Amino acid sequence: MSTKKQIVLDANILVRAVLGRKVRGLLEEHITTTQFFTPDECYLDARKYLPPLFEKRNLPAQDALDVLEQLTCLIVS
């Protein structure tokens, strides 16, 4: 009987998963052996801070929110 590891992620990790490939890749790589959790408040914080970061880079803010939404299939809130 094997049990999955459990890791709680904060808002900074969510933001990094949206902005780059490394964190998102690690989540995808370990999803079969690890359960990832985050409080709803971390999703709220990420939704607050991602649009200004994308706008600063002259990228559509909605793209950031779309990627964040896609993470919900990997991360339980």
Side-chain angles (χ1 to χ4, degrees):
M1 179 173 153
S2 69
T3 58
K4 286 187 170 186
K5 297 177 198 172
Q6 297 179 338
I7 298 177
V8 177
L9 307 175
D10 67 4
N12 292 322
I13 298 299
L14 296 178
V15 168
R16 290 180 60 119
V18 171
L19 292 177
R21 295 181 184 184
K22 186 174 185 175
V23 172
R24 193 171 348 141
L26 287 170
L27 293 174
E28 291 169 351
E29 179 182 341
H30 295 284
I31 195 65
T32 58
T33 60
T34 308
Q35 286 183 293
F36 299 103
F37 298 91
T38 193
D40 288 334
E41 187 170 328
C42 291
Y43 273 114
L44 292 173
D45 282 349
R47 285 185 189 100
K48 175 182 174 182
Y49 292 112
L50 279 167
L53 290 170
F54 265 56
E55 290 167 4
K56 186 187 272 188
R57 293 171 171 86
N58 294 318
L59 298 169
Q62 187 58 47
D63 288 353
L65 299 176
D66 291 344
V67 173
L68 183 63
E69 185 64 31
Q70 292 171 4
L71 291 177
T72 60
C73 68
L74 301 173
I75 304 167
V76 179
S77 63

